[in-house]
Amino acid sequence: MSTVILSPDSSVQQSIDQLSINTIRTLSMDAVQAANSGHPGTPMAMAPVAYTLWQEFLRFDPTDPVWPNRDRFVLSAGHASMLLYSLLHLTGVRAVSKDYETLGEPSVPLDAIKAFRQLDSRCPGHPEYRWTSGVETTTGPLGQGLATSVGMAIARQWLATRYNQPGFEDLFDFNVYALCGDGCMMEGISSEAASLAGHLRLSNLCWIYDNNHITIEGNTALAFTEDVATRFIGYGWNVTRVSDANDLEMLAKAFRTFESTTDRPTLIIVDSHIGYGAPHKQDTSGAHGEPLGEDEIRLAKRNYGWPEDEKFFVPDGVYEHFRDGVGARGKQLRDRWFDRIAAYRQCYPELAEELYRMQHRQLPEGWDRDLPEFPADPKGLATRESSAKVLNAVAKNIPWLIGGAADLAPSTKTRLTFEGAGDFEAENYAGRNFHFGIREHAMGAICNGMSLVKVRPFGSGFFIFVDYMRGALRLSALMELPIIYVFTHDSIGVGEDGPTHQPIEQLAHMRAMPGLILIRPCDANEVREAWKVVLQLHHAPAVLALTRQAVPTIDRSKYAPASGVARGAYVLADAPGGDPEVILIGTGSEVALCMEAYEQLVREGVRARVVSMPSWELFDDQDEQYRDSVLPPRVKARVSVEQASDFGWSKYTGSEGYNIGISTFGASAPLKHLLKKFGFDSEHVVAAAKSQIARHKP
Ligand SMILES: Cc1ncc(C[n+]2csc(CCOP(=O)(O)OP(=O)(O)O)c2C)c(N)n1
Ligand SMILES: [Mg+2]
């Protein structure tokens, strides 16, 4: 090990390893102090772990942080963000544009660290994907990063099985590392994800657990005394331990153990001291989430042999050291990979083309060929059934459209049934049908991880259980990931299953989430159009809300085409001359009810219009002229019909409109009794329409 003199006025000499580690520590302390907010203790403790991993093992090229076969590093303990920012800075990670072009400038310049947690800084409080290059996934809600890392590891196995070909056996062989703390270990989502990762024997997955026995309220003895090692052995993981976070040799040995383990994931439990080196705060929760204070920082720097008055100090040689370590190794591997992908393109042009399109979030040529058209049919079929037909047609055309359900595929109808689709299992990583098990929350995060590796995932379940995965879904939206969530059993239409299974407020939840596109199609042809819309999304997750029960297939020769779905809402059936005196607005299964009421109103000489409104978000995105053509401002008589909470509907029906909805949790009974009880019959809609007309008479 070479030694370096720290600074002219310091008598302390330390190895370049130690110097680099202490730079990570002090940058983190100084940034938190300058922001007067943040979490210094864990970066101080885990600096040697992150250093060893990055400098000795991680196959990552800072000059091309989006190289597809790079190892992934996920900071699941997102509050320790300064640990990651210090690494991104010291290794010289380059910025990447929104279109994944590498730019010349650094992703995290020192000025960004000095502006930690300030508006527009590349160093926000918690790491944010698509904001700071080199951040592989947004973390902060504890446990999410761990479960996301499982999705990344799964996607790598799937990619490797499909694209690694003779002569190119290592095209995809990246590893996924995730660093977590006690909080991540306590959250249920990590148990779900670890259980599945063990079951799938994901040997490319390594979790590093910072076992510091400290969380916000104090010692973990307050609430967390289980034997984590035994738990993970039970999951089928390889578990190893490093009893001192400062022991670089033991850390390296643990990472080598991971690398040589080929049949299961690895957990490295590292015993550490939060706030390491701070004399009054080490090993206390006081080091977790507040600045150390100027005096304590001085003392800690003294302990590190650091110049006490220097701030944001990067000693000579540290940048170069990272450049010659992780930098040189990563660049060589990255360049070699791109050379090989050129050769791969010669040998396997079709597979190479698939990879190119997938990695650029494009669809293959002809992705929408052979989509089913559904003839008019008064009996019709459930939208989950029509969705199954569309999904299976489109999945044949998009090889990397892969996904599954949380043990509900027979109900959600999301199984890919065509020849060769197969099941993704430990023995068959080529399968396209995923069995997430009854783990909705992990399913959401795993879909996030898969999407971050750029395959096109879908996940499905009962709509009511979206509540179980909301944390992950929120991150899909925050990260702008084009994941497709298929949620069926979308209303009291589930009938006898009763209030526990009847979504009431879930539509409003989803509509309140920024960036998420919700589509609730009304019939089979709207389902086809909805799939077309969501497949073409690049930067937004989508939810398809589908029925369990049959809905009529509307006669499109008589009424407007289903392509109106793309605009969120459209005039399905209009008053003679297009001059309505009342507008009925429905979504999903309630559009048929609006049509029934419409027929009756028309028979009675009432000029009614029916608007099918499968997606608020898509409609709100249209220009004013279109929106006004669908909902003319002068027509104030408006009725909305939806089997759910009417929360938010007055946005379209006005403060004096009439919203037919449900304000309880539903009830258990055959559907036809529920429809009567909750007022979803044409008499109610017709009466509401008439009372609206009367109310708004000039
Ligand atoms: C889901 C979730 N719940 C609560 C929090 C708030 N929170 C942030 S850090 C933390 C304690 C974490 O303790 P640990 O993981 O042991 O981290 P350490 O203090 O050791 O770095 C909590 C409760 C959060 N970020 N996410
Ligand atoms: Mg802890």
Side-chain angles (χ1 to χ4, degrees):
M1 263 179 210
S2 60
T3 51
V4 173
I5 295 173
L6 181 60
S7 72
D9 54 11
S10 167
S11 57
V12 181
Q13 294 191 349
Q14 44 192 276
S15 71
I16 186 69
D17 293 318
Q18 208 50 48
L19 211 50
S20 305
I21 290 164
N22 287 335
T23 306
I24 296 171
R25 286 175 166 146
T26 52
L27 281 179
S28 303
M29 288 154 50
D30 288 342
V32 172
Q33 190 65 37
N36 198 24
S37 133
H39 304 77
T42 297
M44 292 160 73
M46 294 312 277
V49 179
Y51 168 76
T52 303
L53 173 59
W54 278 60
Q55 183 69 350
E56 305 291 332
F57 293 90
L58 205 70
R59 294 170 297 175
F60 177 82
D61 178 9
T63 64
D64 185 3
V66 293
W67 157 46
N69 194 38
R70 68 194 182 279
D71 286 346
R72 270 51 170 192
F73 174 74
V74 171
L75 183 68
S76 194
H79 56 277
S81 56
M82 268 313 304
L83 178 66
L84 181 54
Y85 298 145
S86 300
L87 287 163
L88 298 181
H89 172 68
L90 294 172
T91 58
V93 171
R94 300 286 109 182
V96 175
S97 77
K98 291 256 182 220
D99 303 318
Y100 307 109
E101 288 161 341
T102 319
L103 308 171
E105 72 240 31
S107 168
V108 177
L110 200 55
D111 281 345
I113 288 182
K114 290 178 181 166
F116 176 51
R117 290 183 160 242
Q118 307 309 304
L119 199 61
D120 295 333
S121 168
R122 294 286 164 190
C123 300
H126 295 86
E128 293 178 30
Y129 176 69
R130 278 176 71 77
W131 177 247
T132 312
S133 305
V135 171
E136 301 283 9
T137 179
T138 297
T139 52
L142 297 171
Q144 292 289 342
L146 289 183
T148 303
S149 74
V150 173
M152 293 172 171
I154 283 175
R156 186 287 238 174
Q157 301 293 24
W158 189 86
L159 287 175
T161 312
R162 183 171 178 85
Y163 297 101
N164 291 3
Q165 293 291 329
F168 299 89
E169 286 81 0
D170 56 356
L171 198 68
F172 286 102
D173 66 352
F174 65 81
N175 290 324
V176 183
Y177 299 90
L179 178 64
C180 70
D182 302 299
C184 289
M185 276 296 159
M186 290 188 219
E187 289 290 351
I189 189 174
S190 63
S191 300
E192 294 180 16
S195 163
L196 186 59
H199 170 78
L200 291 171
R201 301 205 277 274
L202 300 173
S203 61
N204 57 333
L205 180 67
C206 179
W207 287 2
I208 305 140
Y209 167 35
D210 173 16
N211 181 37
N212 64 14
H213 290 286
I214 293 291
T215 63
I216 289 177
E217 292 185 3
N219 195 285
T220 48
L222 287 169
F224 191 59
T225 42
E226 72 197 28
D227 182 340
V228 172
T230 303
R231 170 179 149 201
F232 274 73
I233 289 167
Y235 288 145
W237 287 54
N238 175 35
V239 178
T240 179
R241 190 163 206 133
V242 175
S243 60
D244 175 3
N246 289 305
D247 187 337
L248 306 191
E249 267 173 44
M250 287 307 285
L251 286 167
K253 198 168 159 211
F255 288 123
R256 279 196 292 274
T257 301
F258 157 65
E259 284 184 334
S260 60
T261 302
T262 55
D263 59 349
R264 59 214 150 121
T266 294
L267 175 71
I268 304 176
I269 302 175
V270 181
D271 297 338
S272 86
H273 298 279
I274 194 167
Y276 177 79
H280 304 100
K281 294 220 169 168
Q282 178 177 315
D283 293 320
T284 72
S285 57
H288 162 85
E290 61 197 30
L292 295 175
E294 298 288 359
D295 293 343
E296 188 77 353
I297 286 182
R298 231 174 254 280
L299 294 172
K301 284 182 179 168
R302 187 180 300 171
N303 277 339
Y304 299 151
W306 213 248
E308 292 173 26
D309 292 322
E310 290 272 11
K311 292 206 160 112
F312 301 103
F313 177 54
V314 181
D316 289 348
V318 169
Y319 292 119
E320 293 76 5
H321 179 58
F322 278 109
R323 190 192 59 207
D324 298 343
V326 56
R329 181 178 63 246
K331 175 138 183 55
Q332 193 188 23
L333 287 165
R334 180 261 179 210
D335 289 350
R336 183 166 166 271
W337 192 86
F338 275 100
D339 286 347
R340 302 215 338 124
I341 203 81
Y344 184 83
R345 192 169 263 285
Q346 299 298 317
C347 301
Y348 306 100
E350 283 173 20
L351 290 176
E353 178 65 14
E354 279 185 21
L355 277 175
Y356 179 88
R357 286 184 182 252
M358 171 204 310
Q359 293 294 315
H360 290 80
R361 295 216 190 280
Q362 297 170 5
L363 295 169
E365 212 69 67
W367 64 273
D368 57 351
R369 67 171 179 261
D370 305 328
L371 295 191
E373 297 277 340
F374 299 90
D377 176 2
K379 251 181 67 211
L381 69 169
T383 51
R384 62 175 169 148
E385 299 278 3
S386 43
S387 171
K389 292 187 169 42
V390 179
L391 169 60
N392 269 281
V394 88
K396 270 193 212 155
N397 303 336
I398 309 175
W400 57 95
L401 179 62
I402 59 182
D407 196 48
L408 284 171
S411 296
T412 60
K413 310 285 179 193
T414 43
R415 186 168 176 77
L416 305 181
T417 52
F418 50 85
E419 167 120 33
D423 293 281
F424 186 91
E425 290 170 331
E427 302 74 29
N428 177 27
Y429 287 145
R432 294 177 61 184
N433 285 293
F434 282 70
H435 302 278
F436 295 106
I438 306 145
R439 306 179 178 101
E440 286 84 358
H441 202 183
M443 175 173 74
I446 288 169
C447 284
N448 286 338
M450 290 167 73
S451 180
L452 287 161
V453 176
K454 307 274 178 64
V455 296
R456 198 72 197 275
F458 61 88
S460 79
F462 286 161
F463 191 30
I464 191 71
F465 301 129
V466 71
D467 291 359
Y468 269 48
M469 56 182 291
R470 205 171 182 285
L473 199 67
R474 187 170 192 273
L475 286 183
S476 312
L478 182 54
M479 290 194 272
E480 304 180 6
L481 298 176
I483 295 161
I484 303 166
Y485 293 103
V486 179
F487 293 131
T488 64
H489 299 57
D490 69 347
S491 72
I492 55 165
V494 307
E496 293 86 339
D497 275 340
T500 57
H501 283 55
Q502 290 169 347
I504 300 294
E505 71 282 25
Q506 283 65 27
L507 284 170
H509 282 173
M510 297 296 99
R511 288 170 178 151
M513 196 180 284
L516 181 93
I517 308 285
L518 175 107
I519 309 186
R520 186 168 186 248
C522 78
D523 78 342
N525 287 305
E526 276 202 5
V527 166
R528 180 194 61 245
E529 297 303 313
W531 271 103
K532 277 164 77 174
V533 169
V534 302
L535 284 164
Q536 293 177 82
L537 294 172
H538 290 118
H539 290 304
V543 164
L544 295 179
L546 305 175
T547 67
R548 170 183 173 274
Q549 74 281 17
V551 291
T553 307
I554 292 168
D555 185 350
R556 300 286 168 174
S557 66
K558 212 164 142 198
Y559 300 111
S563 54
V565 169
R567 311 195 80 168
Y570 62 101
V571 179
L572 176 62
D574 210 359
D579 178 27
E581 55 189 325
V582 62
I583 303 175
L584 309 178
I585 314 171
T587 80
S589 45
E590 286 68 74
V591 171
L593 176 57
C594 290
M595 290 301 287
E596 209 182 308
Y598 165 86
E599 305 283 0
Q600 189 179 328
L601 288 165
V602 169
R603 273 198 304 274
E604 295 180 24
V606 176
R607 294 198 316 280
R609 164 181 286 191
V610 174
V611 169
S612 174
M613 190 181 242
S615 174
W616 288 15
E617 298 78 27
L618 295 176
F619 183 64
D620 291 350
D621 246 12
Q622 304 304 310
D623 59 34
E624 190 176 306
Q625 196 190 353
Y626 179 76
R627 282 185 281 122
D628 286 354
S629 74
V630 176
L631 300 175
R634 69 179 167 74
V635 186
K636 302 263 187 271
R638 298 179 181 194
V639 180
S640 73
V641 192
E642 189 168 69
Q643 285 175 5
S645 161
D646 67 7
F647 189 91
W649 267 107
S650 54
K651 178 171 160 188
Y652 302 105
T653 53
S655 58
E656 296 186 5
Y658 192 100
N659 306 313
I660 300 178
I662 301 174
S663 54
T664 66
F665 287 107
S668 168
L671 178 57
K672 73 173 195 263
H673 299 290
L674 293 180
L675 294 179
K676 194 147 188 61
K677 174 178 165 63
F678 291 105
F680 289 92
D681 51 31
S682 59
E683 293 79 67
H684 186 194
V685 181
V686 166
K690 289 179 178 169
S691 79
Q692 276 288 294
I693 292 170
R695 177 167 193 163
H696 295 286
K697 262 222 156 65

